[in-house]
Amino acid sequence: MTDSQPRLSFEFFPPKTPEGKQKLIHVRDQLNSFAPDFFSVTYGAGGSTRDNTKGIVTNFTSAGIATAPHLSFGGDDEETILELLQDYKAAGVDRIVALRGDMPSGVGGAYQLVYANELVAFIRKHFGDYFHLEVAAYPEIHPQAKSYSDDIRYLKGKFDAGANSGITQYFFNPDAYFYFMEQCHSAGIDQPIYPGIMPIINYRNLTRFSDTCGAEIPRWLRKALENFGDDEASLKSFGVDLVSELCEVLLENDAPGLHFYTMNQTEPTAQIVSNLGLIPTE
Ligand code: FAD
C-alpha cells in the first residue's frame, strides 16, 4: 500500500484450539494480500489470554507481519506487565493497543481496573517513544462514561499521556464519527482516530454484543436485519453493501483509515476492502 492510501488494519481474537490457530494463519495470509499496515490481537478480560495473545503476536511478528497486541493491566502487577512488554520489544513488536479492559466475569469487588491513560503513561515511562500506542475511542460514548464531554476529556488524557492514535468502537451511523471528531478537535485532540468497522455476519451476535459495548444499531437497521430471518446469505450480502457504503462515506470525508473487527474471518472483510479498491498498487 502506498503512503497516500488510507491506513488499514485487521483485528483478530486469539483462538483457543490448535485448529483455530491454523485457520487464523490462513485468514491472516488472505487478508495480508491487502497489505495492511498491521494486524492486532485482542486481550482477554483480566489478562485471561495473556500467553495466547503473546504467542500469536510474536509468531506473526517473527514471520515479518506487523502485529500489535492489545494490552490491559487486568489483574497483573507492574512487574508482570513490564516483563510482557520487554518480551514484546525483544520480539520486534513496536505497536500496542493500550486499554483499561473490563472486569472479568465472576470476580469480586476487590478487583481494581487500571485506566488506559495510566497504562499509556507506564509504557512511556519504561520504554520512551519505542512503541506506537493506540487507544480506544467511543463516538457513541463508552457505556460507563458519566457524560459525552467527560469521555472526551478522558480520551484527551490518554493522548496527553503519550498515545499516538485512536481506534474507535464500531458504529453504523457515520455522523456519530464526524460529530465525535469535531468534538475531539475542539477539545484539542489532533492525533488521528481511525474508525473501527464491524462487518455484519450474524444478527443475533451483533445485537447482543452491541447492547453490551454501547454501539448503537439504528432502529431502521435492526428492522432490516431482522427481516432476513434465517436467510444468512442475503443478510451477509446486504451487510457487505451497507458496510462498504459506510466505509466509503468515512474515507470520502477524511477518515484517516479503517480498522476492521474481522471476527477471525476472511469474509466479509475482504469483500468490503475489495469494494473500496484498497488494493496494493505493487
Ligand atoms: P478507559 O479509556 O480507561 O476508559 C474507561 C471508562 O472510564 C470510560 O467510561 C472513561 O470515560 C472513564 N475514564 C477513563 N479514564 C478515566 C480516569 N482517569 N478517571 C476516571 N474515569 C476515567 N476489551 C478487551 O477486553 N480486550 C481487548 O482486546 C479490547 N480491545 C479493544 C479495542 C478497541 C479499538 C476498542 C474500542 C475496545 C476494545 N476493548 C477490548 C473494549 C474495552 O476494553 C472496553 O470498552 C473497556 O470498558 C474500556 O477500555 P478503555 O481502554 O477504553 O478504558
Side-chain angles (χ1 to χ4, degrees):
M1 187 162 284
T2 63
D3 281 350
S4 60
Q5 284 193 277
R7 190 181 93 169
L8 188 59
S9 51
F10 296 123
E11 180 175 311
F12 294 140
F13 58 84
K16 291 193 181 105
T17 63
E19 297 76 35
K21 284 180 191 161
Q22 213 42 49
K23 185 183 157 239
L24 189 64
I25 289 176
H26 183 61
V27 172
R28 176 202 72 188
D29 288 344
Q30 288 181 315
L31 292 177
N32 202 33
S33 67
F34 294 103
D37 292 79
F38 65 96
F39 289 87
S40 79
V41 183
T42 61
Y43 200 64
S48 55
T49 66
R50 191 189 312 109
D51 295 340
N52 209 355
T53 298
K54 181 180 166 190
I56 292 166
V57 168
T58 52
N59 179 298
F60 284 15
T61 304
S62 65
I65 293 172
T67 310
H70 295 209
L71 180 66
S72 59
F73 261 98
D76 288 325
D77 57 19
E78 292 193 348
E79 206 178 310
T80 307
I81 294 297
L82 191 55
E83 247 175 61
L84 183 55
L85 286 161
Q86 277 159 348
D87 288 350
Y88 278 135
K89 186 176 176 187
V93 173
D94 60 3
R95 185 187 302 263
I96 306 274
V97 181
L99 302 155
R100 181 200 73 171
D102 288 316
M103 204 71 93
S105 51
V107 297
Y111 197 93
Q112 190 71 40
L113 287 168
V114 177
Y115 289 117
N117 69 299
E118 296 171 47
L119 175 59
V120 169
F122 178 80
I123 298 173
R124 286 287 174 247
K125 179 178 148 200
H126 290 280
F127 296 90
D129 286 337
Y130 173 75
F131 288 108
H132 181 109
L133 298 180
E134 309 274 349
V135 289
Y138 300 86
E140 294 175 327
I141 315 183
H142 183 265
Q144 291 154 1
K146 281 195 218 103
S147 69
Y148 196 91
S149 55
D150 257 6
D151 213 22
I152 294 212
R153 189 159 55 84
Y154 288 128
L155 176 61
K156 171 106 173 42
K158 297 197 263 194
F159 286 115
D160 289 346
N164 301 96
S165 44
I167 300 174
T168 75
Q169 184 57 275
Y170 65 89
F171 53 87
F172 294 104
N173 173 8
D175 286 336
Y177 172 78
F178 299 135
Y179 178 75
F180 178 69
M181 290 310 298
E182 274 173 30
Q183 298 306 306
C184 285
H185 290 143
S186 303
I189 296 172
D190 298 325
Q191 289 84 349
I193 299 179
Y194 297 86
I197 304 295
M198 179 65 90
I200 297 174
I201 296 173
N202 176 296
Y203 172 65
R204 207 163 296 150
N205 289 349
L206 181 68
T207 47
R208 200 181 44 225
F209 189 55
S210 301
D211 290 344
T212 54
C213 76
E216 187 176 276
I217 306 180
R219 188 177 147 77
W220 65 268
L221 179 55
R222 270 188 198 254
K223 289 282 168 204
L225 296 175
E226 258 169 35
N227 284 342
F228 287 108
D230 292 332
D231 184 358
E232 278 205 12
S234 300
L235 178 133
K236 280 185 188 163
S237 157
F238 170 85
V240 165
D241 290 347
L242 183 103
V243 176
S244 301
E245 220 169 280
L246 169 67
C247 294
E248 258 169 47
V249 170
L250 291 167
L251 294 176
E252 277 166 10
N253 288 279
D254 299 331
L258 301 167
H259 176 84
F260 283 86
Y261 297 107
T262 69
M263 309 308 286
N264 289 10
Q265 298 186 27
T266 305
E267 302 296 353
T269 296
Q271 236 174 315
I272 296 165
V273 177
S274 298
N275 286 348
L276 297 171
L278 295 181
I279 295 171
T281 47
E282 291 160 30

Short mmCIF file of all heavy atoms in Angstrom, two decimals, residues 10-69:
data_model
loop_
_atom_site.label_atom_id
_atom_site.label_comp_id
_atom_site.label_asym_id
_atom_site.label_seq_id
_atom_site.Cartn_x
_atom_site.Cartn_y
_atom_site.Cartn_z
N PHE A 10 -6.35 -4.92 10.61
CA PHE A 10 -7.30 -6.02 10.80
C PHE A 10 -7.13 -6.61 12.21
O PHE A 10 -6.01 -6.96 12.59
CB PHE A 10 -7.03 -7.14 9.78
CG PHE A 10 -7.24 -6.72 8.35
CD1 PHE A 10 -6.21 -6.83 7.43
CD2 PHE A 10 -8.47 -6.23 7.91
CE1 PHE A 10 -6.39 -6.45 6.10
CE2 PHE A 10 -8.67 -5.85 6.59
CZ PHE A 10 -7.63 -5.97 5.68
N GLU A 11 -8.24 -6.73 12.91
CA GLU A 11 -8.18 -7.24 14.29
C GLU A 11 -8.62 -8.70 14.36
O GLU A 11 -9.60 -9.09 13.74
CB GLU A 11 -9.08 -6.37 15.17
CG GLU A 11 -9.10 -6.82 16.62
CD GLU A 11 -9.89 -5.86 17.50
OE1 GLU A 11 -9.67 -4.63 17.42
OE2 GLU A 11 -10.75 -6.34 18.26
N PHE A 12 -7.90 -9.48 15.16
CA PHE A 12 -8.24 -10.88 15.45
C PHE A 12 -8.43 -11.05 16.95
O PHE A 12 -7.89 -10.27 17.74
CB PHE A 12 -7.11 -11.82 15.03
CG PHE A 12 -6.85 -11.88 13.55
CD1 PHE A 12 -5.54 -11.93 13.06
CD2 PHE A 12 -7.89 -11.92 12.63
CE1 PHE A 12 -5.29 -12.01 11.69
CE2 PHE A 12 -7.65 -12.00 11.26
CZ PHE A 12 -6.35 -12.05 10.79
N PHE A 13 -9.10 -12.11 17.34
CA PHE A 13 -9.05 -12.54 18.75
C PHE A 13 -8.26 -13.85 18.78
O PHE A 13 -8.22 -14.57 17.77
CB PHE A 13 -10.45 -12.67 19.36
CG PHE A 13 -11.36 -13.64 18.65
CD1 PHE A 13 -11.32 -15.00 18.93
CD2 PHE A 13 -12.26 -13.20 17.68
CE1 PHE A 13 -12.16 -15.90 18.26
CE2 PHE A 13 -13.10 -14.09 17.00
CZ PHE A 13 -13.04 -15.44 17.30
N PRO A 14 -7.62 -14.16 19.91
CA PRO A 14 -6.78 -15.36 19.93
C PRO A 14 -7.63 -16.64 20.01
O PRO A 14 -8.38 -16.82 20.98
CB PRO A 14 -5.94 -15.20 21.21
CG PRO A 14 -6.67 -14.21 22.05
CD PRO A 14 -7.56 -13.39 21.17
N PRO A 15 -7.54 -17.52 19.02
CA PRO A 15 -8.31 -18.77 19.07
C PRO A 15 -7.77 -19.66 20.19
O PRO A 15 -6.61 -19.57 20.56
CB PRO A 15 -8.03 -19.43 17.71
CG PRO A 15 -7.35 -18.40 16.89
CD PRO A 15 -6.72 -17.42 17.81
N LYS A 16 -8.67 -20.52 20.70
CA LYS A 16 -8.28 -21.37 21.84
C LYS A 16 -7.65 -22.69 21.38
O LYS A 16 -6.84 -23.27 22.08
CB LYS A 16 -9.51 -21.67 22.70
CG LYS A 16 -10.04 -20.47 23.44
CD LYS A 16 -11.05 -20.89 24.51
CE LYS A 16 -11.61 -19.68 25.23
NZ LYS A 16 -12.96 -19.35 24.84
N THR A 17 -8.06 -23.18 20.21
CA THR A 17 -7.63 -24.52 19.81
C THR A 17 -6.53 -24.46 18.74
O THR A 17 -6.43 -23.48 18.00
CB THR A 17 -8.82 -25.30 19.20
OG1 THR A 17 -9.25 -24.59 18.01
CG2 THR A 17 -9.99 -25.38 20.17
N PRO A 18 -5.74 -25.56 18.61
CA PRO A 18 -4.73 -25.61 17.55
C PRO A 18 -5.37 -25.47 16.16
O PRO A 18 -4.82 -24.79 15.28
CB PRO A 18 -4.10 -27.00 17.71
CG PRO A 18 -4.41 -27.42 19.10
CD PRO A 18 -5.69 -26.74 19.49
N GLU A 19 -6.57 -26.03 15.98
CA GLU A 19 -7.25 -25.92 14.67
C GLU A 19 -7.59 -24.45 14.40
O GLU A 19 -7.42 -23.96 13.29
CB GLU A 19 -8.56 -26.73 14.63
CG GLU A 19 -8.40 -28.23 14.80
CD GLU A 19 -8.11 -28.63 16.24
OE1 GLU A 19 -8.63 -28.00 17.18
OE2 GLU A 19 -7.32 -29.59 16.44
N GLY A 20 -8.08 -23.77 15.44
CA GLY A 20 -8.44 -22.36 15.31
C GLY A 20 -7.22 -21.52 14.94
O GLY A 20 -7.29 -20.60 14.12
N LYS A 21 -6.08 -21.88 15.53
CA LYS A 21 -4.85 -21.12 15.25
C LYS A 21 -4.39 -21.35 13.82
O LYS A 21 -3.93 -20.43 13.14
CB LYS A 21 -3.75 -21.52 16.23
CG LYS A 21 -3.99 -20.91 17.60
CD LYS A 21 -2.95 -21.27 18.61
CE LYS A 21 -3.43 -20.82 19.97
NZ LYS A 21 -2.78 -21.45 21.09
N GLN A 22 -4.52 -22.58 13.38
CA GLN A 22 -4.14 -22.92 12.00
C GLN A 22 -5.01 -22.15 11.01
O GLN A 22 -4.54 -21.58 10.04
CB GLN A 22 -4.32 -24.44 11.81
CG GLN A 22 -3.33 -25.08 10.86
CD GLN A 22 -1.90 -24.58 11.03
OE1 GLN A 22 -1.38 -24.52 12.14
NE2 GLN A 22 -1.28 -24.16 9.93
N LYS A 23 -6.31 -22.13 11.32
CA LYS A 23 -7.26 -21.43 10.44
C LYS A 23 -6.93 -19.92 10.42
O LYS A 23 -7.02 -19.27 9.38
CB LYS A 23 -8.69 -21.67 10.96
CG LYS A 23 -9.73 -21.08 10.04
CD LYS A 23 -11.16 -21.23 10.56
CE LYS A 23 -12.03 -20.17 9.91
NZ LYS A 23 -12.70 -19.27 10.81
N LEU A 24 -6.54 -19.41 11.58
CA LEU A 24 -6.24 -17.97 11.66
C LEU A 24 -5.06 -17.59 10.75
O LEU A 24 -5.05 -16.52 10.14
CB LEU A 24 -5.94 -17.56 13.11
CG LEU A 24 -5.83 -16.05 13.33
CD1 LEU A 24 -7.15 -15.36 13.04
CD2 LEU A 24 -5.39 -15.73 14.75
N ILE A 25 -4.09 -18.48 10.66
CA ILE A 25 -2.93 -18.20 9.79
C ILE A 25 -3.40 -18.09 8.34
O ILE A 25 -2.95 -17.22 7.59
CB ILE A 25 -1.85 -19.29 9.98
CG1 ILE A 25 -1.22 -19.10 11.36
CG2 ILE A 25 -0.78 -19.20 8.89
CD1 ILE A 25 -0.21 -20.12 11.75
N HIS A 26 -4.34 -18.94 7.97
CA HIS A 26 -4.89 -18.91 6.62
C HIS A 26 -5.63 -17.58 6.38
O HIS A 26 -5.43 -16.92 5.36
CB HIS A 26 -5.83 -20.11 6.46
CG HIS A 26 -6.41 -20.25 5.10
ND1 HIS A 26 -5.62 -20.43 3.98
CD2 HIS A 26 -7.70 -20.21 4.66
CE1 HIS A 26 -6.41 -20.50 2.92
NE2 HIS A 26 -7.66 -20.36 3.31
N VAL A 27 -6.46 -17.20 7.35
CA VAL A 27 -7.21 -15.93 7.23
C VAL A 27 -6.22 -14.76 7.15
O VAL A 27 -6.36 -13.86 6.31
CB VAL A 27 -8.17 -15.75 8.45
CG1 VAL A 27 -8.80 -14.36 8.46
CG2 VAL A 27 -9.24 -16.82 8.44
N ARG A 28 -5.21 -14.80 8.03
CA ARG A 28 -4.20 -13.73 8.03
C ARG A 28 -3.54 -13.61 6.65
O ARG A 28 -3.38 -12.52 6.12
CB ARG A 28 -3.13 -14.05 9.08
CG ARG A 28 -1.99 -13.06 9.10
CD ARG A 28 -0.75 -13.65 9.72
NE ARG A 28 -0.11 -14.65 8.85
CZ ARG A 28 0.90 -15.42 9.19
NH1 ARG A 28 1.39 -15.36 10.43
NH2 ARG A 28 1.44 -16.28 8.34
N ASP A 29 -3.18 -14.76 6.07
CA ASP A 29 -2.49 -14.71 4.77
C ASP A 29 -3.40 -14.14 3.69
O ASP A 29 -2.95 -13.40 2.81
CB ASP A 29 -1.98 -16.10 4.39
CG ASP A 29 -0.80 -16.50 5.27
OD1 ASP A 29 -0.23 -15.61 5.93
OD2 ASP A 29 -0.48 -17.70 5.33
N GLN A 30 -4.68 -14.48 3.77
CA GLN A 30 -5.61 -13.93 2.77
C GLN A 30 -5.75 -12.42 2.94
O GLN A 30 -5.69 -11.67 1.97
CB GLN A 30 -6.96 -14.62 2.88
CG GLN A 30 -6.90 -16.06 2.37
CD GLN A 30 -8.25 -16.75 2.47
OE1 GLN A 30 -8.94 -16.64 3.48
NE2 GLN A 30 -8.62 -17.45 1.43
N LEU A 31 -5.94 -11.99 4.18
CA LEU A 31 -6.11 -10.55 4.41
C LEU A 31 -4.81 -9.79 4.19
O LEU A 31 -4.81 -8.61 3.84
CB LEU A 31 -6.66 -10.30 5.82
CG LEU A 31 -8.10 -10.77 6.05
CD1 LEU A 31 -8.53 -10.56 7.49
CD2 LEU A 31 -9.08 -10.04 5.11
N ASN A 32 -3.69 -10.48 4.37
CA ASN A 32 -2.40 -9.82 4.18
C ASN A 32 -2.18 -9.41 2.72
O ASN A 32 -1.35 -8.56 2.44
CB ASN A 32 -1.27 -10.76 4.65
CG ASN A 32 -0.01 -10.00 4.98
OD1 ASN A 32 -0.06 -8.86 5.45
ND2 ASN A 32 1.13 -10.60 4.71
N SER A 33 -2.95 -10.00 1.82
CA SER A 33 -2.79 -9.63 0.41
C SER A 33 -3.27 -8.19 0.17
O SER A 33 -2.98 -7.61 -0.87
CB SER A 33 -3.53 -10.61 -0.50
OG SER A 33 -4.91 -10.47 -0.29
N PHE A 34 -3.99 -7.62 1.12
CA PHE A 34 -4.38 -6.21 1.00
C PHE A 34 -3.30 -5.28 1.56
O PHE A 34 -3.52 -4.07 1.67
CB PHE A 34 -5.71 -5.95 1.73
CG PHE A 34 -6.88 -6.67 1.09
CD1 PHE A 34 -7.40 -7.83 1.66
CD2 PHE A 34 -7.42 -6.21 -0.09
CE1 PHE A 34 -8.46 -8.50 1.06
CE2 PHE A 34 -8.48 -6.88 -0.69
CZ PHE A 34 -9.00 -8.02 -0.12
N ALA A 35 -2.17 -5.88 1.96
CA ALA A 35 -1.04 -5.10 2.51
C ALA A 35 -1.48 -4.15 3.63
O ALA A 35 -1.27 -2.94 3.54
CB ALA A 35 -0.33 -4.33 1.40
N PRO A 36 -2.10 -4.70 4.68
CA PRO A 36 -2.50 -3.81 5.80
C PRO A 36 -1.27 -3.24 6.49
O PRO A 36 -0.17 -3.81 6.40
CB PRO A 36 -3.24 -4.77 6.74
CG PRO A 36 -2.64 -6.11 6.46
CD PRO A 36 -2.33 -6.11 4.98
N ASP A 37 -1.48 -2.14 7.19
CA ASP A 37 -0.37 -1.57 7.96
C ASP A 37 -0.03 -2.44 9.16
O ASP A 37 1.12 -2.51 9.58
CB ASP A 37 -0.73 -0.15 8.41
CG ASP A 37 -0.81 0.76 7.20
OD1 ASP A 37 -1.83 0.73 6.49
OD2 ASP A 37 0.18 1.46 6.92
N PHE A 38 -1.06 -3.08 9.74
CA PHE A 38 -0.79 -4.03 10.82
C PHE A 38 -2.02 -4.87 11.12
O PHE A 38 -3.14 -4.52 10.70
CB PHE A 38 -0.32 -3.31 12.10
CG PHE A 38 -1.34 -2.41 12.75
CD1 PHE A 38 -2.15 -2.85 13.80
CD2 PHE A 38 -1.50 -1.10 12.32
CE1 PHE A 38 -3.08 -2.02 14.39
CE2 PHE A 38 -2.44 -0.25 12.90
CZ PHE A 38 -3.23 -0.72 13.94
N PHE A 39 -1.80 -5.98 11.79
CA PHE A 39 -2.88 -6.78 12.38
C PHE A 39 -2.86 -6.49 13.88
O PHE A 39 -1.83 -6.04 14.41
CB PHE A 39 -2.62 -8.27 12.17
CG PHE A 39 -2.79 -8.72 10.74
CD1 PHE A 39 -1.74 -8.65 9.83
CD2 PHE A 39 -4.01 -9.21 10.30
CE1 PHE A 39 -1.89 -9.05 8.51
CE2 PHE A 39 -4.17 -9.62 8.97
CZ PHE A 39 -3.11 -9.54 8.08
N SER A 40 -3.96 -6.75 14.56
CA SER A 40 -3.90 -6.67 16.03
C SER A 40 -4.61 -7.88 16.62
O SER A 40 -5.43 -8.51 15.96
CB SER A 40 -4.50 -5.36 16.53
OG SER A 40 -5.91 -5.42 16.54
N VAL A 41 -4.22 -8.22 17.85
CA VAL A 41 -4.78 -9.41 18.51
C VAL A 41 -5.28 -9.00 19.89
O VAL A 41 -4.52 -8.41 20.69
CB VAL A 41 -3.72 -10.53 18.64
CG1 VAL A 41 -4.33 -11.78 19.28
CG2 VAL A 41 -3.11 -10.88 17.29
N THR A 42 -6.54 -9.31 20.17
CA THR A 42 -7.16 -8.82 21.41
C THR A 42 -6.62 -9.54 22.65
O THR A 42 -5.91 -10.56 22.55
CB THR A 42 -8.70 -8.98 21.37
OG1 THR A 42 -9.01 -10.37 21.25
CG2 THR A 42 -9.31 -8.21 20.22
N TYR A 43 -6.99 -9.00 23.81
CA TYR A 43 -6.50 -9.47 25.11
C TYR A 43 -7.71 -9.75 25.98
O TYR A 43 -8.57 -8.86 26.14
CB TYR A 43 -5.66 -8.34 25.72
CG TYR A 43 -4.71 -8.74 26.79
CD1 TYR A 43 -3.65 -9.60 26.52
CD2 TYR A 43 -4.84 -8.23 28.09
CE1 TYR A 43 -2.73 -9.93 27.51
CE2 TYR A 43 -3.93 -8.57 29.08
CZ TYR A 43 -2.87 -9.42 28.78
OH TYR A 43 -1.97 -9.74 29.75
N GLY A 44 -7.82 -10.93 26.53
CA GLY A 44 -8.99 -11.29 27.33
C GLY A 44 -9.09 -10.48 28.61
O GLY A 44 -8.07 -10.07 29.18
N ALA A 45 -10.32 -10.26 29.06
CA ALA A 45 -10.55 -9.53 30.31
C ALA A 45 -9.71 -10.14 31.43
O ALA A 45 -9.64 -11.36 31.57
CB ALA A 45 -12.03 -9.55 30.67
N GLY A 46 -9.05 -9.28 32.21
CA GLY A 46 -8.26 -9.75 33.34
C GLY A 46 -6.96 -10.43 32.94
O GLY A 46 -6.31 -11.08 33.74
N GLY A 47 -6.58 -10.32 31.67
CA GLY A 47 -5.33 -10.96 31.23
C GLY A 47 -5.52 -12.44 30.91
O GLY A 47 -4.55 -13.19 30.80
N SER A 48 -6.77 -12.85 30.75
CA SER A 48 -7.07 -14.29 30.60
C SER A 48 -6.45 -14.90 29.33
O SER A 48 -6.32 -16.12 29.26
CB SER A 48 -8.58 -14.51 30.60
OG SER A 48 -9.18 -13.71 29.61
N THR A 49 -6.09 -14.09 28.34
CA THR A 49 -5.47 -14.67 27.13
C THR A 49 -4.00 -14.25 27.02
O THR A 49 -3.44 -14.24 25.93
CB THR A 49 -6.21 -14.20 25.85
OG1 THR A 49 -6.03 -12.79 25.70
CG2 THR A 49 -7.69 -14.52 25.88
N ARG A 50 -3.37 -13.91 28.18
CA ARG A 50 -2.03 -13.32 28.11
C ARG A 50 -1.07 -14.14 27.23
O ARG A 50 -0.46 -13.64 26.28
CB ARG A 50 -1.44 -13.17 29.51
CG ARG A 50 -0.17 -12.34 29.52
CD ARG A 50 0.55 -12.35 30.86
NE ARG A 50 -0.32 -12.12 31.98
CZ ARG A 50 -0.67 -13.05 32.86
NH1 ARG A 50 -0.21 -14.29 32.75
NH2 ARG A 50 -1.46 -12.76 33.86
N ASP A 51 -0.95 -15.45 27.54
CA ASP A 51 0.04 -16.26 26.81
C ASP A 51 -0.40 -16.52 25.38
O ASP A 51 0.43 -16.56 24.47
CB ASP A 51 0.25 -17.60 27.53
CG ASP A 51 0.86 -17.36 28.91
OD1 ASP A 51 1.44 -16.27 29.10
OD2 ASP A 51 0.75 -18.24 29.78
N ASN A 52 -1.71 -16.68 25.21
CA ASN A 52 -2.24 -16.96 23.88
C ASN A 52 -2.05 -15.74 22.95
O ASN A 52 -1.59 -15.87 21.81
CB ASN A 52 -3.74 -17.28 24.03
CG ASN A 52 -4.22 -18.21 22.95
OD1 ASN A 52 -3.47 -18.53 22.04
ND2 ASN A 52 -5.47 -18.62 23.04
N THR A 53 -2.40 -14.57 23.45
CA THR A 53 -2.21 -13.34 22.66
C THR A 53 -0.73 -13.16 22.33
O THR A 53 -0.36 -12.92 21.17
CB THR A 53 -2.73 -12.10 23.44
OG1 THR A 53 -4.13 -12.27 23.66
CG2 THR A 53 -2.49 -10.81 22.68
N LYS A 54 0.10 -13.35 23.35
CA LYS A 54 1.56 -13.16 23.15
C LYS A 54 2.08 -14.16 22.11
O LYS A 54 2.86 -13.79 21.21
CB LYS A 54 2.28 -13.36 24.48
CG LYS A 54 3.77 -13.16 24.39
CD LYS A 54 4.39 -13.37 25.77
CE LYS A 54 5.88 -13.51 25.69
NZ LYS A 54 6.46 -13.94 26.97
N GLY A 55 1.64 -15.42 22.21
CA GLY A 55 2.11 -16.45 21.27
C GLY A 55 1.78 -16.08 19.83
O GLY A 55 2.64 -16.17 18.94
N ILE A 56 0.56 -15.63 19.61
CA ILE A 56 0.15 -15.30 18.24
C ILE A 56 0.88 -14.06 17.73
O ILE A 56 1.40 -14.03 16.61
CB ILE A 56 -1.39 -15.12 18.17
CG1 ILE A 56 -2.06 -16.47 18.42
CG2 ILE A 56 -1.83 -14.55 16.83
CD1 ILE A 56 -3.53 -16.40 18.73
N VAL A 57 0.97 -13.05 18.59
CA VAL A 57 1.62 -11.79 18.17
C VAL A 57 3.10 -12.03 17.84
O VAL A 57 3.61 -11.57 16.82
CB VAL A 57 1.47 -10.71 19.26
CG1 VAL A 57 2.36 -9.51 18.98
CG2 VAL A 57 0.01 -10.26 19.35
N THR A 58 3.81 -12.78 18.69
CA THR A 58 5.24 -12.98 18.44
C THR A 58 5.45 -13.89 17.24
O THR A 58 6.37 -13.70 16.44
CB THR A 58 5.98 -13.52 19.69
OG1 THR A 58 5.28 -14.67 20.16
CG2 THR A 58 6.03 -12.51 20.80
N ASN A 59 4.55 -14.86 17.07
CA ASN A 59 4.63 -15.75 15.90
C ASN A 59 4.43 -14.97 14.59
O ASN A 59 5.21 -15.11 13.65
CB ASN A 59 3.54 -16.83 16.10
CG ASN A 59 3.48 -17.81 14.97
OD1 ASN A 59 3.21 -17.41 13.84
ND2 ASN A 59 3.75 -19.08 15.25
N PHE A 60 3.41 -14.13 14.55
CA PHE A 60 3.15 -13.34 13.34
C PHE A 60 4.32 -12.37 13.09
O PHE A 60 4.76 -12.18 11.97
CB PHE A 60 1.86 -12.51 13.48
CG PHE A 60 0.57 -13.29 13.32
CD1 PHE A 60 0.54 -14.68 13.39
CD2 PHE A 60 -0.63 -12.63 13.11
CE1 PHE A 60 -0.65 -15.39 13.24
CE2 PHE A 60 -1.83 -13.32 12.96
CZ PHE A 60 -1.84 -14.70 13.04
N THR A 61 4.80 -11.75 14.18
CA THR A 61 5.88 -10.77 14.03
C THR A 61 7.14 -11.44 13.48
O THR A 61 7.82 -10.89 12.61
CB THR A 61 6.18 -10.09 15.39
OG1 THR A 61 4.97 -9.52 15.87
CG2 THR A 61 7.23 -8.97 15.25
N SER A 62 7.43 -12.65 13.99
CA SER A 62 8.65 -13.32 13.51
C SER A 62 8.50 -13.76 12.05
O SER A 62 9.48 -13.99 11.36
CB SER A 62 9.04 -14.49 14.42
OG SER A 62 8.04 -15.48 14.34
N ALA A 63 7.25 -13.85 11.58
CA ALA A 63 7.02 -14.15 10.16
C ALA A 63 7.09 -12.87 9.31
O ALA A 63 6.78 -12.89 8.12
CB ALA A 63 5.67 -14.84 9.98
N GLY A 64 7.44 -11.75 9.95
CA GLY A 64 7.61 -10.48 9.22
C GLY A 64 6.31 -9.73 9.02
O GLY A 64 6.24 -8.84 8.18
N ILE A 65 5.27 -10.09 9.81
CA ILE A 65 3.97 -9.44 9.65
C ILE A 65 3.72 -8.54 10.86
O ILE A 65 3.64 -9.04 12.00
CB ILE A 65 2.87 -10.51 9.50
CG1 ILE A 65 3.10 -11.24 8.17
CG2 ILE A 65 1.48 -9.91 9.57
CD1 ILE A 65 2.25 -12.44 7.94
N ALA A 66 3.61 -7.25 10.62
CA ALA A 66 3.45 -6.29 11.73
C ALA A 66 2.17 -6.61 12.50
O ALA A 66 1.07 -6.61 11.92
CB ALA A 66 3.39 -4.87 11.17
N THR A 67 2.31 -6.87 13.78
CA THR A 67 1.16 -7.27 14.60
C THR A 67 1.25 -6.62 15.97
O THR A 67 2.30 -6.64 16.62
CB THR A 67 1.11 -8.81 14.76
OG1 THR A 67 1.24 -9.41 13.48
CG2 THR A 67 -0.18 -9.27 15.40
N ALA A 68 0.13 -6.03 16.39
CA ALA A 68 0.09 -5.31 17.67
C ALA A 68 -0.75 -6.09 18.68
O ALA A 68 -1.90 -6.43 18.37
CB ALA A 68 -0.52 -3.94 17.46
N PRO A 69 -0.21 -6.34 19.87
CA PRO A 69 -1.05 -6.93 20.91
C PRO A 69 -1.94 -5.86 21.54
O PRO A 69 -1.51 -4.72 21.73
CB PRO A 69 -0.03 -7.44 21.93
CG PRO A 69 1.16 -6.56 21.76
CD PRO A 69 1.17 -6.12 20.32
#
